[in-house]
């Protein structure tokens, strides 16, 4: 690999193709081990002879506060969701703060209050932490890392990898996509149109536990954050070399989000979410899971948006509202930096 | 608490008194739970009905490479050491990168190579990670968070809190103090004198396991990082309301480090280390532990530097080389920002 003049690009943190390549070239290459290589939202391993899930995320969202959330809430729920989609019950969180010298104490305090409330809501504890302060101008106000540990029942250890995905499985999403990205963007000066859209930032552990209580036939779950719904599905189709049919008219997108996306040239399927669960479940359990999800406050607008097919292996085909067919690929380039 | 006009100061990330106050006022106040409140280097809890240790640290050291180490090595060994001093065996690490747009790929690659080697040396695996890229000027090249999980035997669960510390216990340190801080400082432009001193950055898990194999009477361990040896001992004396006598002539300080410290007005006892273990052990086990430590590559220069006493509870008294007595307090103010 000729790397002499290469520079790190914003797109390498986008969650899309360039992120994927960087992770492969560097982290999987050098840190190479069978747990890491599973590449799920959480690492799955045995500790003290029982299965655990372990995950980490740094949050650099700009601005720190936006409609529907803030960096603290995001940091707690983001890690809760990464553990939950692996089938685990989130138990303990660590938090690392990197603070710019001169930040208002009030801002930090409000973020901490928000994190405490989020941890309570998600029913887990923040048990350890670290604080670094860097000189003025050496970071942008506040970055937060959260890492989390969850307990995982052995019967759910293959959800993360999606190894049991088969043709006939259905794909569901628990509501409107694109809200988070458009809420953060509307909170930035960049967007002159002030949209009435709030981030969907939410903890998915309660919803997911309810699903796992009614079905042992959940094949795969992922929260559709950076890269959006499209990237999650394109990745799983490629990784498992399976086909996916996706039905545009079934995918919930708010009118307001659709409007902003049209103006600014975004595709809502690629816009980040912070409370959206993509779930693949066997055909026979689909109705049961759908019913359970719709009863949960974070699943009221759940829709069956697609299915796993034997045709076009490795590809996601979007059937559009006007009868067209498009290949849906992984996000390429950088859509919205510092969205989480 | 009147916080209206308060701003975050560099000293609040120093690891000394101001850090302690910030942590108490904010994090312990709002995140309040019995695991966090133990305030050890790692959180100790049961997961899957067995004890585990869990810790997190963010690394913002400047420069990224310095004599004897780099940010990657520091990030791996720092978290290894935090788990190890809690009596745990480090097993799994997460890594979160926050990268400034435009960073040379080569720099990142070299850091990753260093982390992979460090993980191998410390016999643990990096199992999950996250990458964020922020716009140019919004962070300083590269920040790294590592979080780690270790397995902990029930008989070692009270080492972290130091609850069994008693008068007559001896205090040992595994070698020269102040090397890391002076190595980083010498690598900065600030220091015109180029000192021939290397960081002591090292994994302490092997040494600590050897100690725990020969003694079940280890009362307390901590790695003396930010705030140095003085802050660790002053904190434990205050927390446990016990007296500590410290003997200046027994504390190993290199001539080169002593020299730089004199020129720049630093006290080597407050300078950060990255491979220094402070251990408190019962009088009867001291010789056995000393002998074991000196056989290990990271313990060759181990010294008995002090003891726990009934006099002056809550205070550390330094007996100086010229027969004086000084109270040793927790670091106050900001000595060296971005040392780790």
């Amino acid at each position: 690999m000729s790397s002499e003049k290469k520079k790190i690009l914003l797109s390498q943190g986008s969650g899309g193709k360039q992120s994927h390549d960087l992770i492969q070239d560097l982290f999987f290459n050098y840190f190479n081990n069978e747990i890491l290589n599973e590449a799920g939202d959480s690492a799955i391993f045995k500790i003290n002879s029982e299965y655990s899930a372990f995950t980490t995320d740094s949050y650099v969202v700009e601005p720190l506060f936006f409609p529907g959330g803030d960096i603290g809430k995001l940091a707690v729920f983001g890690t809760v969701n990464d553990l939950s989609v692996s089938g685990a019950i989130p138990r303990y969180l660590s938090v690392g703060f990197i603070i710019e010298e001169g930040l208002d104490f009030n801002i930090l305090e409000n973020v901490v209050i928000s994190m405490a409330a989020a941890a309570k809501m998600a029913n887990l504890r923040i048990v350890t932490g670290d604080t670094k302060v860097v000189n003025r101008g050496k970071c942008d106000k506040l970055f937060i890392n959260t890492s989390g540990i969850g307990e995982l029942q052995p019967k759910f250890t293959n959800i993360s990898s999606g190894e049991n995905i088969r043709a006939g499985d259905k794909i569901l999403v628990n509501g409107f996509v694109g809200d988070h990205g458009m809420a953060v963007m509307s909170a930035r000066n960049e967007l002159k149109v002030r949209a009435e859209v709030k981030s969907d930032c939410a903890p998915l552990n309660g919803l997911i536990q309810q699903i796992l209580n009614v079905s042992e036939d959940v094949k795969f779950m992922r929260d559709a954050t950076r890269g959006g719904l499209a990237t999650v599905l394109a990745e799983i189709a490629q990784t498992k070399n399976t086909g996916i049919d996706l039905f545009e008219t079934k995918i919930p997108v708010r009118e307001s989000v659709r409007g902003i996306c049209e103006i600014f040239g975004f595709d809502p399927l690629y816009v980040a979410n912070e409370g959206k669960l993509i779930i693949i479940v066997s055909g026979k359990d689909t109705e049961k899971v759908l019913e359970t999800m719709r009863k949960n406050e974070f699943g009221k607008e759940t829709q069956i948006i697609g299915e796993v097919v034997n045709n076009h292996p490795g590809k996601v085909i979007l059937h559009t509202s006007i009868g067209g067919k498009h290949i849906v690929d992984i996000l390429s380039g950088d859509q919205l930096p510092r969205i989480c």
Side-chain angles (χ1 to χ4, degrees), chain A:
Chain A
M1 176 171 43
S2 161
S3 58
E4 306 230 341
K5 285 167 191 169
K6 281 199 286 184
K7 304 275 186 187
I8 297 295
L9 308 171
L10 276 176
S11 61
Q12 289 173 314
S14 67
K17 183 166 176 4
Q18 289 77 15
S19 291
H20 184 81
D21 291 347
L22 180 73
I23 290 167
Q24 287 293 334
D25 288 353
L26 270 187
F27 310 131
F28 283 63
N29 183 18
Y30 291 111
F31 298 154
N32 179 45
N33 62 68
E34 69 274 26
I35 298 172
L36 179 70
N37 297 352
E38 285 290 329
D41 262 2
S42 300
I44 308 280
F45 49 75
K46 282 188 175 179
I47 191 147
N48 296 318
S49 72
E50 302 278 354
Y51 283 105
S52 295
F54 180 34
T55 191
T56 193
D57 261 308
S58 297
Y59 295 84
V60 298
V61 65
E62 198 278 314
L64 298 176
F65 298 85
F66 46 82
D70 60 78
I71 189 173
K73 191 173 164 183
L74 215 58
V76 172
F77 292 158
T79 293
V80 162
N81 292 347
D82 280 349
L83 292 171
S84 303
V85 296
S86 302
I89 299 175
R91 292 291 187 213
Y92 301 106
L93 227 63
S94 68
V95 56
F97 294 97
I98 300 176
I99 310 171
E100 185 182 10
E101 178 193 12
L103 181 73
D104 281 347
F105 181 87
N106 275 353
I107 290 177
L108 182 62
E109 187 173 33
N110 285 333
V111 168
V112 169
I113 289 170
S114 174
M115 293 185 83
K120 192 172 178 188
M121 185 173 169
N123 195 28
L124 88 175
R125 283 179 285 183
I126 297 171
V127 294
T128 189
D130 176 58
T131 308
K132 295 291 189 306
V133 181
V134 299
N135 314 66
R136 215 177 284 260
K138 296 301 182 184
C139 84
D140 191 9
K141 299 182 203 74
L142 178 64
F143 299 149
I144 298 179
N145 176 283
T146 48
S147 301
I149 302 178
E151 289 175 338
L152 183 63
Q153 292 185 54
K155 63 182 171 186
F156 298 136
T157 51
N158 50 22
I159 290 177
S160 187
S161 65
E163 62 190 70
N164 294 332
I165 292 173
R166 296 289 178 273
D169 293 343
K170 301 293 183 186
I171 300 162
L172 292 81
V173 67
N174 64 321
F176 294 101
V177 300
D179 293 3
H180 175 73
M182 289 305 102
V184 170
M185 195 160 164
S186 82
R188 292 185 189 165
N189 291 332
E190 303 159 27
L191 192 66
K192 297 292 187 287
V193 183
R194 294 294 287 193
E196 295 296 315
V197 56
K198 280 185 180 175
S199 169
D200 61 340
C201 184
L204 298 174
N205 52 333
L207 173 66
I208 287 172
Q209 282 310 307
Q210 288 170 3
I211 295 168
L212 295 178
N213 282 342
V214 299
S215 173
E216 295 201 355
D217 227 8
V218 170
K219 309 296 190 76
F220 176 74
M221 294 188 286
R222 188 145 297 178
D223 55 332
T225 56
R226 287 181 290 178
L229 178 143
T231 299
V232 168
L233 291 176
E235 268 182 4
I236 195 73
Q238 283 182 21
T239 315
K240 298 295 146 193
N241 198 33
T242 188
I244 288 178
D245 278 337
L246 202 56
F247 305 103
E248 192 179 30
T249 55
K250 297 293 185 187
I251 302 170
V253 183
R254 290 183 204 281
E255 273 312 307
S256 55
V257 168
R258 198 185 301 276
I260 314 171
C261 281
E262 275 175 15
I263 294 169
F264 292 94
F266 290 114
D267 180 339
L269 302 194
Y270 288 92
V271 175
N273 310 280
E274 287 292 340
K276 283 301 151 322
L277 171 68
I278 314 284
I279 177 167
I280 303 184
V281 66
S282 70
K284 76 170 176 53
D285 276 8
T286 299
E287 281 304 318
K288 194 160 64 175
V289 167
L290 179 66
E291 194 184 330
T292 302
M293 290 176 72
R294 286 190 173 162
K295 282 184 190 151
N296 185 289
E297 62 173 317
F298 300 122
K300 287 196 185 76
E301 289 94 5
T302 300
Q303 292 288 342
I304 302 168
I305 59 169
E307 62 180 288
V308 178
V309 295
N310 280 324
N311 303 335
H312 52 83
K315 289 198 170 54
V316 177
I317 302 292
L318 179 71
H319 299 258
T320 68
S321 54
I322 53 165
K325 290 181 188 184
H326 291 306
I327 290 178
V328 173
D329 208 346
I330 290 171
L331 174 67
S332 186
D334 171 49
Q335 201 174 27
L336 281 172
R338 298 182 62 193
I339 200 70
C340 60

